[in-house]
Amino acid sequence: MKAITANRLTDGRVIYRTAEGQWSSRLDEAEHLDGDAAEARLAQAEAEFGIAVGPYLIDIEDERPGGQKWRREAIRLTGPTTGSTREPA
Amino acid sequence: MYKYDAYDHALVRERIEEFRDQVARRLDGRLTEDQFKPLRLMNGVYLQLHAYMLRVAIPYGTLNGPQLRTLAHIARRYDRGYGHFTTRTNIQFNWPALVDVPDILDHLAKVEMHAIQTSGNCIRNVTADPFAGAAADEIEDSRPWAEIIRQWSTFHPEFTFLPRKFKIAVNGARDDRAGIRVHDIGLQIVKNEAGETGFEVWVGGGQGRTPRLAQKIRDFLEPRDLLSYLTAILRVYNQHGRRDNLYKARIKILVEALGAEEFGRQTEEEWADIREGELELPAAEIARIRAFFDRPSVSKAQPVPVSGKPGFAGWLRRNRRAHQVEGLSSVVISLKPVGGTPGDITDDQLDIVADLAERYGFDEARATPDQNLVLPHVRNEDLETVWDALVAAGLATANAGLATDIVSCPGLDYCSLANARSIPIAQAISSLVEAEGLAEPVGDVTIKIDGCINACGHHHVAHIGVLGVDKRGEEFYQITLGGAFGNDASIGGIVGKGLAGEDVPGAIVRVLKTYLEIRDENERFIDTLRRVGADAFKESIYVAA
């Protein structure tokens, strides 16, 4: 399965496209897509002006990022693994 | 330190207002991302994995107290409480919102800083010796020349759209601490037989996927000819550099294709047409710029303390550097706590360094290519007070130049170009080296880690380099041995097949232990490696893998 991800225009944070055509910071709210439907939905997202920058498809396996880019997408989802990030003051 | 004049202030102000309007037009949809991306990059704004990243220029690595305090404020107010010093002596903020960037640039402008030319195919921030104006082995202070190049290259209309980015280093000491052999142009200040200072000119160095060491094309360039000669080099590159292939666009590829001799000939030919013109540097202008970089003086020189609290002597031994003025020392503020993120510094720590620079450091600090900071001018009688404050701030790690002083790019934890993580590998190596008690016994060694072949972490020129690669979704790490940065610059060679991340720290520790077993007396790691060859270490890397 696939999902569509992007970065939010105002602050660059990671977002996922929902079935309603909205954007959420939660992967579990992302629409799961397959085959031609995924490509069509991505084309739609790319054509819209909105809050998303650079939408693209990612693989989803067992509700988590999958495929060869799984680690990159897991880090995008959960943040750096360096143990040194802090939440905004 | 250089102070902006009215022209500098106006230039930066105008750019901020221009960018503020561009951001507004992007946010309301008048600009597409394709239109906006080159504009934001010209202002240092990248889009990384999790957020925008703002790269702030630190001209030739020089900072003062108010600037450090402003960086602290930006980290605290607009980021997540920390910044990250890079190998190009800039600072990056990993979490700013796009909507805040114009305001951040306003704060920077008030202390004569900006993010201009920290991206794009232009002349980037000039690199210089972080001990310039202080080092005991200095021939001449490189900062006035770096400042002259900064002014000449800022918004230079002819060189704003080069085939690729362009980096210049200036070194004024006998030891090359600016990396002139791994820059597009390296300028080494030398004296001729008449005792006059000028520049050796090196071209075509660089790292990335095609690492090359620069080659010398001129033995002595008179200072007045600096800008005309740089212009000639840039014109040859701009004319003949490849724009058809991103990976072959750097000047190193052109120099290799033409040969250094032919590149030099074409440069001289171009230079002959322009050297007597408006680019000739007037002596009065050189003197005006030099006047901004006064050497501090001491009325009554005190010796370096020989005793003090536990830990102080060890810190002095590792982190103090000799100064050209009797009674002063330079000190390295390590941003490499064991297990920490190389180059990271918190907002509070930035404030403390600002305090120390102002109270005890003639209001100067420097960022280094090793991702540390330097207080270049500290009175010897103030060293222990400075150390006390650094200890309290968690900034007194006594490891400058040791195996725990690891350089690392941001890697896959932040960077959209990376293939593998690098910071966690650095953290694991430094923790294991510390646990094994190896740092002090091994002594001087450089370990540098990259998460992709672009090599922002300079692994090619590390004694021990680590390069992360992705193989079908899994991280592997190639080990390189024998690289060096400086007078004896060399490119490291890949030892063998890649290791899994969890095997890297053990392999590095075994390399260090092998060195301790086979070294001659007083022989540095790199000298042993060059004497016996990398193969002598190969078994230690793969024995348990």
Side-chain angles (χ1 to χ4, degrees), chain B residues 373-392:
Chain B
L373 293 175
V374 162
L375 295 177
H377 318 297
V378 180
R379 289 183 184 86
N380 288 335
E381 61 269 34
D382 291 331
L383 285 167
E384 190 161 2
T385 305
V386 168
W387 176 77
D388 279 336
L390 293 174
V391 169

Side-chain angles (χ1 to χ4, degrees), chain B residues 115-417:
Chain B
I116 295 163
Q117 291 179 207
T118 59
S119 179
N121 295 334
C122 55
I123 299 171
R124 303 287 188 90
N125 188 19
V126 177
T127 312
D129 176 7
F131 297 94
D137 68 338
E138 190 161 81
I139 300 161
E140 183 177 296
D141 191 345
S142 51
R143 292 172 301 166
W145 303 108
E147 174 56 30
I148 286 168
I149 295 168
R150 186 194 72 79
Q151 295 190 16
W152 161 78
S153 63
T154 298
F155 297 151
H156 195 305
E158 189 177 344
F159 304 134
T160 298
F161 298 101
L162 294 165
R164 278 291 276 144
K165 57 188 171 183
F166 204 89
K167 301 170 184 177
I168 301 174
V170 191
N171 190 62
R174 288 182 175 77
D175 268 355
D176 173 19
R177 291 178 288 262
I180 61 167
R181 303 277 321 265
V182 289
H183 279 76
D184 296 293
I185 296 176
L187 299 167
Q188 172 64 49
I189 297 176
V190 292
K191 282 190 188 294
N192 65 11
E193 289 177 356
E196 300 158 333
T197 54
F199 303 97
E200 278 180 0
V201 182
W202 299 70
V203 296
Q207 299 186 62
R209 77 179 54 233
T210 315
R212 292 290 182 272
L213 295 179
Q215 299 182 65
K216 191 162 63 173
I217 60 168
R218 193 160 234 282
D219 291 324
F220 191 84
L221 180 70
E222 291 190 34
R224 68 175 182 225
D225 295 324
L226 176 64
L227 297 185
S228 59
Y229 203 81
L230 292 179
T231 298
I233 293 171
L234 265 296
R235 282 187 176 168
V236 172
Y237 170 54
N238 213 8
Q239 176 76 16
H240 299 298
R242 289 186 60 173
R243 294 172 187 270
D244 62 322
N245 185 334
L246 180 71
Y247 303 121
K248 295 184 178 180
R250 295 291 291 268
I251 193 174
K252 61 191 172 187
I253 304 298
L254 178 63
V255 171
E256 186 166 78
L258 292 177
E261 191 174 333
E262 172 60 15
F263 185 91
R265 189 196 66 74
Q266 292 192 22
T267 298
E268 297 277 334
E269 191 174 279
E270 176 70 30
W271 184 48
D273 288 340
I274 59 175
R275 66 178 296 189
E276 304 295 344
E278 62 185 9
L279 287 169
E280 185 173 321
L281 274 166
E285 179 62 6
I286 295 172
R288 187 183 76 85
I289 298 295
R290 273 195 176 129
F292 287 105
F293 299 95
D294 274 352
R295 192 165 63 170
S297 60
V298 175
S299 55
K300 191 176 178 187
Q302 299 294 323
V304 177
V306 293
S307 62
K309 299 184 186 79
F312 177 55
W315 179 77
L316 279 184
R317 189 172 63 249
R318 284 312 317 180
N319 292 32
R320 176 190 164 272
R321 299 290 181 270
H323 200 286
Q324 58 191 243
V325 174
E326 190 183 355
L328 294 177
S329 293
S330 302
V331 296
V332 177
I333 300 174
S334 170
L335 302 183
K336 316 292 176 56
V338 172
T341 298
D344 272 14
I345 187 167
T346 69
D347 47 1
D348 292 342
Q349 288 173 329
L350 283 163
D351 275 336
I352 286 162
V353 177
D355 288 345
L356 293 174
E358 287 175 347
R359 294 180 64 184
Y360 304 108
F362 295 84
D363 200 17
E364 274 204 57
R366 309 277 172 78
T368 82
D370 293 331
Q371 298 179 287
N372 290 318
L373 293 175
V374 162
L375 295 177
H377 318 297
V378 180
R379 289 183 184 86
N380 288 335
E381 61 269 34
D382 291 331
L383 285 167
E384 190 161 2
T385 305
V386 168
W387 176 77
D388 279 336
L390 293 174
V391 169
L395 289 169
T397 311
N399 65 349
L402 295 179
T404 52
D405 184 7
I406 298 171
V407 170
S408 172
C409 76
L412 190 59
D413 283 297
Y414 293 96
C415 179
S416 61
L417 298 175

Side-chain angles (χ1 to χ4, degrees), chain A residues 22-75:
Chain A
Q22 304 300 308
W23 293 90
S24 168
S25 58
R26 296 172 57 115
L27 179 61
D28 59 10
E29 293 179 351
E31 181 181 19
H32 289 194
L33 300 154
D34 214 352
D36 291 346
E39 295 293 342
R41 196 69 69 130
L42 176 62
Q44 186 182 350
E46 286 172 335
E48 293 170 356
F49 168 72
I51 69 164
V53 179
Y56 61 97
L57 294 169
I58 59 171
D59 291 316
I60 300 294
E61 295 170 10
D62 299 330
E63 309 294 321
R64 299 182 56 76
Q68 291 199 11
K69 297 287 186 185
W70 71 268
R71 190 185 303 276
R72 181 183 197 273
E73 292 305 324
I75 290 172

